[in-house]
Amino acid sequence: MKSVCILGSTGSIGVSTLDVVRLNASNYKVVALTANKNIQLLKQQCVEFNPMFVVIPDADLAEQFERSIQQSELDGISVLSGKESLEFVCQLEIVDVVVAAIVGAAGLLPTLAAAKAGKVLLLANKEALVISGDLLMSAVSENGATLLPLDSEHNALFQCMPAAYRTGEPVKGLRRLILTASGGPFLHASDEELSRVTVEQACAHPNWSMGQKISIDSATMMNKGLEVIEASYLFSVDADDIDVLVHPQSIIHSMVDYIDGSVLAQLGNPDMRTPIAHALSWPDRQPSGVSALDFILHKQLSFEPPSIDKFPCLRLAYEALKAKGTATTILNAANEVAVDNFLNNKISFTDIPKLIEKTMERSEVKTVDSIATVLLADAEAREQATTCIGLIK
Ligand code: NAD
Ligand code: MG
C-alpha cells in the first residue's frame, strides 16, 4: 500500500489521479490533498478518500473549510493553511508518493521539498522544472528521490528508455528525442485569425481536456516549448537533440530515436490517466480506466513540422534553453504573466509571444546557484513583463 500526497487535487491532473486511485483502491492510502480555491470539490474528495491532512494556502478559505467540516464525519482531518504547509505535507514521514499537480510557479517550493525529502515524485507541474532546472534534478539525485514524469510526452519517452533507466541520467545510444505535439486548436489558422482568437477558442483543445493555463500554453505552443526544456533536464539531452513533430491525432505520445536506427514510440488514447497509472504503479502496471487503442478507428496517423513563424513561443523556449542559467526562469515567468493578462482580456493572443520576447530582451540572465537566485529572477521577470505590457502595443 502506497501513501499518497496530491498537490493540486482539485485540478484536472489531481482529479484524474484520484480516478486512478479509486480504480485501484486497495493499493493506495490518500494521506494529504491540497487545493487553492475549490473547497467544495476538496470536501467531496475528503468524504471519499478520508485524508489525514488538507492544505488550503489561503487562511480565510481554510477557516471556512474547517467550519464546514466541524461535527461531521470529516472532523478528524487536520486543515492547514499557508504556503509552507504545502511543503510540510510533502515531507511527512508517512508519505511515499507526492503527485506534483499544482499549476505554475506556485508548485515550485513544494515540489522541491518532496525531492529533498527523497519521495517518489510524480511530476505534472512542468513549470517547477523549467524554473529551477538543475536545482530540482540535483535535489532528486542527492536525496535519493525517484522522479517519474506524468506529462504524457515525457512519460512516453521514459517508457521508451532502457528498463533500468533513471531520469537525470544520460541515455546511452540516443540519437534524438522526438516530442509529438497536437498543434493545438489553431494549427492551420491564418495570422489574421490568430490575432482575433478569444479566450474560449484558445481553451478548447481538440484532443485533451485540461486546466485553463496549459490549454492556452497548448494553443500558443509554449506548452511544447516548456516540454522541450522539461525533456532536456529530465533526460540530460541538449536542445539540438530534441525535435518537435506535429501529430494532430495525439496517439503517439512521443518517440526515442536510437543510433542503430530503431525508433521506439509509446501509443495510446489521449487520456492522462494512462501516464498517471503508469507512474503510480511503476515498475508494475495497473488499470487506468482508459479504453484500449482501436487501430481501425485511427486509420491515419499524420505528421508535419511545427511552424516556428506562426508559433514564436516554441523558438523562444529553445533560445532560453540554449542560453541556460535563469533564462528559462524568465521565459516561464513572462509566459505566466502573459497568459494571465490574455485570460483577463488585457492583451491579445498574438501579444503573448511579443510580451515574452520583450521581457527576455530586457532581463539579465544569471547563473543558477541557489533557489534564492531562481526566486529573485522569477520575481524580477514578472515585474519586467508587467512593465513591458505597455511597450508591445
Ligand atoms: P488545473 O488548473 O486544472 O489545476 C491546478 C491545481 O493547482 C488546482 O488543484 C488548484 O487548486 C491548484 N493551484 C492553483 N494555483 C495554486 C496556488 N497558487 N497555490 C496552490 N495551489 C494552486 O491545472 P492542470 O491542468 O491540472 O495542470 C496542473 C499541472 O500539470 C500544470 O503544471 C500543467 O502544465 C501540468 N500538466 C497538465 C496536463 C493536463 O492534462 N491537465 C497534462 C500535462 C501536464
Ligand atoms: Mg504534455
Side-chain angles (χ1 to χ4, degrees), residues 6 27 43-44 56 78 80 82 84 86 90 92 95 106 110 121 144 155 167 212 257 262 272 295 321 380-381:
I6 305 175
N27 296 335
K43 194 169 166 186
Q44 284 171 26
I56 303 161
S78 297
L80 308 176
E84 57 297 335
L86 295 169
C90 290
L92 288 167
V95 166
L121 175 56
N155 183 272
T167 49
Q212 225 177 13
D257 185 353
S262 304
M272 288 306 293
F295 282 92
L321 178 58
E380 286 178 350

Side-chain angles (χ1 to χ4, degrees), residues 1 19 21 28 32 75 84 108 123 130 133 161 170 203 207 239 289 299 315 364-365 370 390:
M1 166 99 60
D19 274 352
V21 166
Y28 302 100
D75 214 2
E84 57 297 335
L108 171 63
L123 185 72
V130 169
M161 298 294 180
C203 283
N207 305 341
K299 280 194 172 55
R315 168 178 57 80
E364 190 194 339
V365 175
S370 67

